[in-house]
Amino acid sequence: MMDIAPREPYRPLIWPDIVVDIQEFLAISTDEIYIVGGAVRDALLHRPLHDIDFATSGQAIRLARQIANHFDGDFFALDSERDVGRVLLNLPEGRLVLDIARYRGATLLEDLVDRDFTLNAMAVDIKGSLEHLVDPLHGETDIN
């Protein structure tokens, strides 16, 4: 069985301040919300982030609109059928794109298994510790 328990990665994850701000804003949400894909990979590799993908068990377009409203950003419904929304935030360091999508299955694990590469199948619980990694397909090992 694949393990989705969060754990400390071999090297620290580096997040921009806006991620902490988003974490604080989403703390009261009852839905599961994870940072997924390339943003997790880039945080692990200490690369700058220009876009962040989120996966949620809840209504993604509604969540994207709430984030855009709270952070005075722009909102677009990217795919109403698949429940995907986009937020554009203009920050002092440049534009940040947030894509929020409903899980690609019933669970986070199903979502991660459906991703293209193991190194894009990692997640971080935005409502948990930003220092812990969910890595059921061992993407961190592949990066190393």
Side-chain angles (χ1 to χ4, degrees), residues 2-89:
M2 291 182 238
D3 186 11
I4 63 165
R7 63 165 178 78
E8 286 190 27
Y10 297 120
R11 64 188 295 185
L13 297 161
I14 305 296
W15 299 105
D17 292 340
I18 187 66
V19 173
V20 176
D21 296 340
I22 293 169
Q23 181 185 45
E24 290 172 0
F25 174 67
L26 296 177
I28 62 169
S29 175
T30 58
D31 297 322
E32 294 177 6
I33 307 167
Y34 288 86
I35 301 171
V36 294
V40 178
R41 176 200 65 223
D42 290 346
L44 186 62
L45 292 172
H46 303 175
R47 294 178 179 166
L49 298 180
H50 304 287
D51 62 277
I52 302 174
D53 293 339
F54 293 87
T56 182
S57 62
Q59 296 176 352
I61 289 177
R62 184 192 68 180
L63 181 61
R65 188 182 308 271
Q66 290 170 345
I67 292 169
N69 288 343
H70 182 79
F71 291 98
D72 197 28
D74 296 314
F75 162 79
F76 301 93
L78 284 183
D79 186 336
S80 297
E81 188 174 313
R82 291 187 183 100
D83 195 15
V84 182
R86 174 168 284 173
V87 177
L88 302 175
L89 299 178

